[in-house]
Amino acid sequence: GRTLRVRKVGALAGKGEQAFRLRKRGDGLLLEAATSGGAANGLYAVADRIRSGAEVLPDGQDGRVVAPALPLRLTDHGSVGLTADKAAFAAGDDYGLNTDVVGPALVPRAPWVDAAKAKAIGEQLRQFVDRALADGYNGVVLPGFLEYVTFSGVGDGHAVYREGDPHVARALAMRRAFGPSWKYAHEMGMKVYFQTDMLALSPPLKKYLGDLDTSSSRLWSVYRAGLHELFMTMPYVDGLVVRIGEGGEDYKLAGWDYHSEIKVTTVEQVRAMLTAFLRQADADDRDIVFRTWSVGVGAVGDMHTNPASYHKVLDGIDSEHLIVSTKYTLGDFYSHLPLNTTLLTGRQKRIVEFQSRREFEGFGALPNDLGVLHQQALQTFLAKNPNIVGLWNWTQDGGPLRAGPMTLYLRTGFWQMWDVNVYLTARLAWDPSLDVAAATNDWIRQAFSDDPATVSAIAQVMALSRSAVGKGLYIGPYADTRVKALGLEPPPMMWIFEWDIVTGDSAALDTIYRVARPRLDEAIAEGEDAVMLARRMQTLVNGTSPSSWRDPALRQRFADTLAYQVDLFSTLAAYRTMVLRHAQWLDTGSSTARASWRAAEKRFRAAAAAHEAKYGNNTALPAYNFTAAEIGMQRADRDEAMAWLARVLLALLLIGFALGGSFGQRLLRGAPGSAALRGLWLGMTRPWRVTAVEPNGRTDRMLVWFLPGAMLVASRAVFTWFAAPAHLVVVLGAWLIFAVTLRWLTRGRDRFALSAAIGGVALMRTVILLVALAGRGPGRYWYDFWTEPGLRSFYITVAFAAFCWTFVVAGFVLRNSYGLTRRAASGSTLIGAGVPPAMIGGLIAAIGLERALTVWNDQMALLPWGLSRILGITTYLGIPSAIPVIAAGTGLALAVAGALLAGRPGKRALSPHRAAFSGEE
């Protein structure tokens, strides 16, 4: 029954245009502000208190000027333009990262935009903007840039896009169709920013730019012209957000020819880009928001987390229109990571990036109250860096849209699960000293219920949620440790890579075990603790009365969510125990660890099957993906059998070597096969003496190549758990091609000496491998490889020396057993060494390196199964895609060089000793 009056006044104690003041006036209230924007902020604050059931003017607030601690409070575009396509979400394997808001309205020809769908997108934007303003945000970031630009300011206006080019008509249609929506946000008091990856390209633009030299001022002058055009033709756009650390086909909108490439990778290139952009921004009075998110090597690659690199890239680039945007954690949006130290430094304006819908923590499907975490971050940064001017909170963005639950903010699914973070982060941007628990209760009363008991129950659930997620989805003793691997810094959640793929690869799991080994029992117990926390949260919600909720359907969704969390955490707890105890068995051979591993495996198999059966077709609460885990389990289950097979093969080889020795030869007394065993023994130990061995018949001639061949096949099959034919094709194929090549080069001659020498070396390399496998199978081999640098270096040194010895022996035997000159023997050896990489490299090049590595890794389970499907093995590890072509070319070059050296080895004279065997076989 009270009246609220609004009055415009002069400046409020120098607090800025966003400030307001609320006073008591008789039996009513008076809201005072210097600007209409400040008055709107006050009205939103009053409305928020009314919705929360709080005092509109709390004690001690009468006449106090209220102004935001952070003047710039950005949000993403929410779920605007995103489609709840149930079939696409159900598949769960779409890792595309494009979340463009305009996609559903685009058509492939004139008029280019479907007017009805554009209108629907506009309505979604208005809904989102209204909600964001009510929460306390004052800026929105929308995908876009190049698709609105015609480059009419370059040359005669048709230098980039020729007359009649559809890119021009399409850009004009985009402005007409979507401009009014973006203008609405601006007129409602929101700053409107577009965001783009650099380089943003279209085919005509790429052709015009030529070599894409991003250190060139000419290239950036073209983008400057486009930027100016954007600002002038769409005056409601307040700036451009630029990212250089990601890009490529995964971000491309299907059906469009606009794309991005990662081309700004050096300090010189970044500075050239920012210098050009800021000149235009200064001239047009707009902002450039530069994101430091750039993952890679060098100063640009780690400027996101390394203050020294940050300064190297950005020092001296100062402009009122430059804002540097950085994630608040020292890495991506994971828990257990420290706060980002680069946000404590820098002369530029800084904004802090937050994510409300955590992609790495269930994609918003689980209760996950981040309020205290965000508060600690903001208070730390504001206390140390006076240049912090804002934040950017993502309500929907981050990760692939359709690889998680089908929940779209404000529109589809149980989006309330992360709305608490949207709400609290905005409140914290106004007041970082906020009572987060009280603000959470405000949100609960707005979203679910004003019943005190129900509010208390939900508040307890949210208070427990961070601990539950931190224990259930992370292995604490590993997650708390910064780890370096393969030149990179793996994230703290490597056992789930990424989002919902429970990994089974040895690289991640063995490393996690090794790091967590001093606190192994704690690491395992955390999983069970998470289950208990989830059950407690479930009991709290289930104990509330449906009638006490504003909407009983929301209570049911909450209850279903917590049942899902209990089920998921129980399954993950069993898996955690299984993989860590298996690694402990690999490490120690402990029978207790083995028994625990096997028992946990039974629990996990049952739990995973039940989880898949219950949630496999649920798009709102989707089952986690255990494909990679199953692959890893299959190999782990074979470790013991493979170890025994390795021991048997090793024993057989030792017997064979013993029979090839002097004592064994006396026992055999020239029996069939004895000469082959003698030749192989000498080939392994003294290859220069193989010419002294005379074969006694067909048995010797067959056994001398059959035994090494069989051992090569058997040992490599053991090494791959009999489960990786791709590995066998490459390894055994290379051996086979090498052997066939040398046999062809010695055609018309007896090959016994050659077979004995090369076979002996092959057996020596097989012995080295079998010794490594005989302990606890391939699992222990890879455990040592990933976690024991000393053993790894020793093994690689010995194995590589044996590899090189193969060619030394081949050249030696060709010269001394077949009468070749030094030059001819060297040439023939080069041919034998060159043909395998030429053929294998050509095969892999034809298949494609990424595809070949994916097939190989899927079978060997060495690196995360999701790596190729989400990031790409070659991309993530920085492996040049040209390696197979280089290998093939190098092999071909070796073969050609060898051919020139060898001449025609088939016509060389044979040594008198070997001439007697000419023409055999």
Side-chain angles (χ1 to χ4, degrees):
R2 291 187 292 174
T3 300
L4 172 66
R5 290 180 172 83
V6 181
R7 183 173 69 187
K8 191 172 181 178
V9 297
L12 292 175
K15 292 292 187 177
E17 63 182 20
Q18 298 187 49
F20 65 90
R21 177 171 56 203
L22 197 61
R23 299 173 179 272
K24 289 182 180 178
R25 278 294 178 267
D27 62 349
L29 298 172
L30 174 64
L31 174 64
E32 296 177 323
T35 67
S36 58
N41 289 333
L43 290 170
Y44 285 128
V46 168
D48 179 74
R49 293 168 188 171
I50 293 172
R51 285 194 303 272
S52 303
E55 286 293 328
V56 174
L57 184 57
D59 291 340
Q61 298 296 308
D62 188 1
R64 187 174 74 89
V65 177
V66 178
L70 299 177
L72 185 60
R73 303 174 301 282
L74 300 179
T75 179
D76 63 355
H77 57 279
S79 65
V80 175
L82 305 182
T83 305
D85 184 339
K86 191 166 185 177
F89 278 92
D93 57 1
D94 181 355
Y95 293 100
L97 295 167
N98 182 278
T99 54
D100 206 301
V101 300
V102 300
L106 303 179
V107 293
R109 59 188 61 85
W112 305 109
V113 179
D114 184 307
K117 291 182 178 178
K119 181 180 178 183
I121 290 171
E123 290 171 354
Q124 293 171 13
L125 180 78
R126 286 190 287 276
Q127 176 201 25
F128 178 75
V129 165
D130 293 347
R131 177 65 173 244
L133 285 165
D135 282 338
Y137 295 96
N138 68 340
V140 60
V141 180
L142 303 162
F145 166 53
L146 204 60
E147 53 267 52
Y148 297 95
V149 174
T150 67
F151 291 103
S152 59
V154 178
D156 64 356
H158 302 290
V160 176
Y161 297 134
R162 301 299 182 187
E163 289 194 52
D165 190 313
H167 290 85
V168 174
R170 190 161 52 192
L172 297 176
M174 291 278 291
R175 293 178 198 168
R176 289 192 300 269
F178 297 106
S181 296
W182 315 152
K183 186 178 180 182
Y184 171 82
H186 180 81
E187 291 179 342
M188 286 296 292
M190 293 285 253
K191 287 184 175 293
V192 176
Y193 291 89
F194 278 176
Q195 64 174 330
T196 186
D197 289 324
M198 277 292 159
L199 286 175
L201 296 163
S202 65
L205 175 60
K206 187 172 183 178
K207 181 179 179 181
Y208 178 79
L209 293 174
D211 60 4
L212 300 184
D213 178 7
T214 55
S215 61
S216 162
S217 59
R218 173 193 171 273
L219 178 141
W220 293 117
S221 69
V222 177
Y223 285 98
R224 274 192 65 182
L227 202 58
H228 179 64
E229 179 187 352
L230 179 77
F231 293 152
M232 293 301 100
T233 59
M234 304 174 75
Y236 38 80
V237 175
D238 294 278
L240 184 70
V241 179
V242 178
R243 178 177 68 175
I244 62 171
E246 294 189 50
E249 291 299 312
D250 284 344
Y251 297 88
K252 185 178 178 181
L253 180 64
W256 270 40
D257 59 1
Y258 299 108
H259 71 286
S260 61
E261 295 183 18
I262 301 175
K263 293 291 185 180
V264 186
T265 58
T266 69
V267 174
E268 180 187 15
Q269 292 165 353
V270 173
R271 294 178 73 87
M273 178 188 73
L274 289 179
T275 299
F277 281 11
L278 287 169
R279 284 177 183 166
Q280 196 59 57
D282 290 342
D284 293 335
D285 192 24
R286 299 292 197 278
D287 293 332
I288 297 297
V289 180
F290 176 60
R291 297 192 61 201
T292 61
W293 184 249
S294 180
V295 182
V297 297
V300 174
D302 69 350
M303 68 176 172
H304 180 66
T305 56
N306 185 339
S309 295
Y310 176 93
H311 285 288
K312 187 174 182 180
V313 174
L314 291 172
D315 274 2
I317 301 180
D318 299 309
S319 168
E320 272 300 302
H321 292 99
L322 173 63
I323 303 170
V324 180
S325 180
T326 302
K327 293 183 180 181
Y328 84 97
T329 47
L330 212 58
D332 214 336
F333 291 118
Y334 291 96
S335 298
H336 293 269
L337 287 177
L339 296 179
N340 196 332
T341 51
T342 67
L343 280 162
L344 303 177
T345 188
R347 294 179 56 186
Q348 296 80 14
K349 294 179 184 177
R350 306 296 299 275
I351 60 174
V352 186
E353 298 177 11
F354 294 106
Q355 185 182 41
S356 290
R357 182 180 184 252
R358 287 284 188 107
E359 63 196 274
F360 303 111
E361 296 175 358
F363 261 125
L366 307 175
N368 194 6
D369 185 341
L370 302 169
V372 172
L373 199 61
H374 289 183
Q375 182 179 54
Q376 291 171 348
L378 284 177
Q379 288 180 344
T380 300
F381 299 142
L382 287 168
K384 300 282 182 70
N385 188 348
N387 296 317
I388 302 292
V389 299
L391 59 75
W392 179 14
N393 187 30
W394 305 354
T395 66
Q396 181 83 37
D397 263 358
L401 172 66
R402 286 168 288 277
M406 191 174 71
T407 45
L408 304 179
Y409 187 60
L410 303 182
R411 294 171 49 217
T412 303
F414 196 29
W415 51 266
Q416 286 85 354
M417 270 298 86
W418 72 87
D419 182 54
V420 61
N421 300 320
V422 179
Y423 178 82
L424 291 177
T425 304
R427 292 277 301 267
L428 288 166
W430 276 81
D431 179 11
S433 64
L434 177 76
D435 182 337
V436 174
T440 301
N441 285 347
D442 289 344
W443 170 79
I444 293 170
R445 283 188 287 268
Q446 293 184 34
F448 297 121
S449 172
D450 56 8
D451 174 72
T454 299
V455 170
S456 175
I458 299 174
Q460 291 179 66
V461 168
M462 303 313 293
L464 294 170
S465 64
R466 283 300 302 146
S467 181
V469 166
K471 292 174 180 290
L473 297 180
Y474 295 86
I475 297 174
Y478 167 79
D480 291 335
T481 307
R482 296 188 69 177
V483 178
K484 288 281 189 180
L486 300 175
L488 300 168
E489 190 168 331
M493 194 197 284
M494 282 298 291
W495 73 307
I496 304 174
F497 188 98
E498 286 189 312
W499 304 298
D500 64 348
I501 299 175
V502 181
T503 198
D505 64 284
S506 59
L509 297 178
D510 290 347
T511 301
I512 289 170
Y513 162 78
R514 185 55 183 269
V515 172
R517 185 171 63 179
R519 299 160 57 195
L520 188 64
D521 290 340
E522 175 189 342
I524 291 171
E526 274 188 349
E528 300 303 329
D529 291 344
V531 176
M532 288 191 290
L533 287 169
R535 291 191 188 282
R536 183 178 170 191
M537 293 158 66
Q538 183 182 33
T539 299
L540 285 166
V541 169
N542 288 346
T544 63
S545 170
S547 63
S548 68
W549 289 63
R550 188 168 293 111
D551 182 356
L554 289 178
R555 178 188 180 278
Q556 187 58 53
R557 282 187 171 181
F558 214 139
D560 291 343
T561 293
L562 293 173
Y564 170 79
Q565 185 170 14
V566 169
D567 185 274
L568 174 64
F569 282 8
S570 297
T571 306
L572 292 177
Y575 187 72
R576 174 199 307 244
T577 303
M578 180 189 78
V579 296
L580 291 178
R581 292 304 185 193
H582 171 250
Q584 185 184 29
W585 173 76
L586 292 176
D587 178 28
T588 65
S590 163
S591 58
T592 302
R594 181 189 178 281
S596 179
W597 153 39
R598 292 298 191 184
E601 182 178 356
K602 290 180 181 178
R603 294 199 309 273
F604 170 69
R605 287 190 180 278
H611 180 78
E612 174 63 30
K614 187 170 184 179
Y615 297 106
N617 296 317
N618 192 328
T619 56
L621 299 168
Y624 267 45
N625 187 333
F626 295 108
T627 302
E630 179 62 31
I631 293 172
M633 279 192 300
Q634 290 173 358
R635 279 125 190 89
D637 287 343
R638 298 182 184 183
D639 275 332
E640 289 180 283
M642 295 303 103
W644 278 108
L645 276 174
R647 295 165 195 163
V648 170
L649 291 174
L650 193 57
L652 291 175
L653 277 179
L654 292 176
I655 292 171
F657 294 151
L659 293 176
S662 300
F663 179 75
Q665 289 292 294
R666 290 195 294 271
L667 289 177
L668 292 176
R669 298 180 180 180
S674 60
L677 294 174
R678 180 62 176 171
L680 290 170
W681 170 247
L682 292 176
M684 185 175 76
T685 58
R686 289 157 289 172
W688 53 88
R689 291 189 57 189
V690 293
T691 55
V693 181
E694 303 291 344
N696 294 324
R698 188 171 183 82
T699 301
D700 283 320
R701 296 185 184 283
M702 291 186 64
L703 187 61
V704 78
W705 61 262
F706 176 79
L707 180 59
M711 284 296 175
L712 277 173
V713 172
S715 61
R716 273 58 183 185
V718 169
F719 176 67
T720 59
W721 299 276
F722 287 83
H727 187 85
L728 299 183
V729 166
V730 174
V731 174
L732 299 180
W735 272 106
L736 179 63
I737 294 168
F738 176 68
V740 168
T741 300
L742 291 184
R743 288 177 69 84
W744 181 82
L745 291 171
T746 56
R747 61 194 181 281
R749 309 182 185 179
D750 179 79
R751 283 84 162 230
F752 183 83
L754 180 66
S755 297
I758 300 304
V761 175
L763 290 178
M764 177 175 65
R765 293 188 63 195
T766 299
V767 167
I768 294 170
L769 177 63
L770 289 175
V771 168
L773 297 177
R776 281 177 284 281
R780 177 56 190 258
Y781 173 99
W782 287 109
Y783 173 82
D784 289 338
F785 185 87
W786 300 122
T787 67
E788 297 288 352
L791 277 177
R792 178 174 63 236
S793 298
F794 175 75
Y795 180 85
I796 289 175
T797 301
V798 171
F800 185 72
F803 168 76
C804 295
W805 182 242
T806 304
F807 305 110
V808 174
V809 169
F812 182 86
V813 171
L814 287 172
R815 183 181 176 202
N816 290 276
S817 299
Y818 293 88
L820 272 63
T821 64
R822 185 189 302 272
R823 173 172 173 159
S826 298
S828 297
T829 303
L830 284 176
I831 295 172
V835 173
M839 296 183 69
I840 299 295
L843 174 64
I844 294 175
I847 295 171
L849 181 60
E850 181 64 37
R851 182 181 176 192
L853 285 175
T854 298
V855 171
W856 172 78
N857 188 57
D858 284 355
Q859 296 174 2
M860 290 293 291
L862 302 182
L863 300 172
W865 180 84
L867 191 58
S868 65
R869 289 155 178 84
I870 300 168
L871 302 172
I873 296 175
T874 54
T875 300
Y876 186 73
L877 299 181
I879 302 172
S881 58
I883 280 182
V885 176
I886 294 171
T890 302
L892 184 60
L894 288 174
V896 171
L900 294 174
L901 278 175
R904 301 178 65 191
K907 299 298 184 181
R908 300 279 180 181
L910 299 176
S911 67
H913 182 76
R914 303 308 305 169
F917 302 103
S918 179
E920 294 290 334
E921 283 191 83

